Amino acid sequence: MGKRYDERRSEVRIRNVIRMEEEIVNRVAQSSLVVFDLEDYFPNEKRVVLDISQWLYEGFVLREKEFRAALKDIDWSVYQNQLVALTCTTDAILPSWAFMLVSSYLQPFAKMVVQGSLHDLDKAFYQKVIDDLDFSQYLDQPVIIKGCAKKAIPEESYVMATQKMMHYARSIMFGEACSAVPIFKKGKK
């Protein structure tokens, strides 16, 4: 009786497993959710930080004549098609025109120049991307703004994207389709 009973139990288990396999449905794939992934727009260009303290006397004092001469001697073409963040890593007190002057040398070569950190550069980059994107494809669609990026996406970019997306999407969620957090839902007209 023991062996036969075990065989029947095994058959029942196998039938249940087969039934469960047939019933598994990927509802995420079948849903009308549209994924907006900021990582798709991450810059391909090289991102660099350019510290202007290297052209200051002892890293702190801007002597205009020497500063201008140092800038003229640089091969600015090395920044061709790069994204550049201008900064000063010392506690030097600098006039605004110092960054302006450096940016005027970079402008013919660099794709983008900002004053600040690499994070500031990324924010400015994403602001431009989001401003230039056509969001009409998301009109009246349920949208997930994808989280969990592998690249360093500035958190401010998610706010920028949400603000623009709200004019188009029927609803906005954040995260992954399997565990999305509701952010916005248009009211009924």
Side-chain angles (χ1 to χ4, degrees):
M1 178 167 146
K3 185 176 178 185
R4 189 170 177 168
Y5 177 74
D6 287 340
E7 287 174 6
R8 273 191 261 145
R9 283 184 67 195
S10 294
E11 281 181 40
V12 170
R13 279 192 208 130
I14 291 170
R15 271 190 255 132
N16 286 342
V17 168
I18 290 172
R19 240 185 262 133
M20 284 175 29
E21 285 179 8
E22 291 171 0
E23 294 174 8
I24 294 174
V25 176
N26 186 344
R27 293 185 310 188
V28 172
Q30 293 179 343
S31 73
S32 61
L33 291 172
V34 180
V35 177
F36 179 76
D37 189 353
L38 285 166
E39 198 169 32
D40 292 343
Y41 303 99
F42 195 82
N44 294 321
E45 298 85 2
K46 186 174 180 182
R47 298 158 40 248
V48 296
V49 175
L50 182 56
D51 182 8
I52 71 169
S53 69
Q54 63 187 312
W55 303 305
L56 304 178
Y57 176 72
E58 295 186 3
F60 288 96
V61 179
L62 188 146
R63 292 181 174 168
E64 184 176 353
K65 187 175 179 180
E66 290 88 354
F67 185 70
R68 286 181 180 275
L71 296 181
K72 281 186 182 179
D73 290 340
I74 294 170
D75 176 15
W76 295 99
S77 66
V78 298
Y79 297 101
Q80 185 72 43
N81 294 323
Q82 294 184 13
L83 308 176
V84 182
L86 292 177
T87 193
C88 182
T89 56
T90 65
D91 292 329
I93 298 172
L94 300 170
S96 297
W97 63 261
F99 291 102
M100 294 168 63
L101 185 61
V102 175
S103 74
S104 73
Y105 282 100
L106 284 166
Q107 192 278 329
F109 303 102
K111 271 198 171 176
M112 176 181 267
V113 179
V114 299
Q115 181 180 344
S117 66
L118 200 55
H119 182 78
D120 295 325
L121 177 67
D122 290 341
K123 282 192 309 188
F125 179 84
Y126 270 100
Q127 183 67 63
K128 181 169 177 17
V129 165
I130 290 167
D131 288 346
D132 292 348
L133 271 177
D134 177 15
F135 277 63
S136 63
Q137 64 182 316
Y138 303 105
L139 189 63
D140 296 325
Q141 298 289 324
V143 176
I144 290 183
I145 298 177
K146 188 175 182 233
C148 304
K150 292 178 179 84
K151 297 177 180 167
I153 309 296
E155 288 195 21
E156 297 87 346
S157 303
Y158 292 99
V159 173
M160 293 177 223
T162 301
Q163 292 297 300
K164 190 162 181 185
M165 189 70 76
M166 286 176 67
H167 297 287
Y168 298 91
R170 179 175 71 224
S171 64
I172 301 171
M173 292 169 275
F174 174 79
E176 301 288 333
C178 60
S179 61
V181 177
I183 301 296
F184 164 78
K185 190 167 192 162
K186 272 188 184 171
K188 297 185 179 187
K189 295 178 184 182

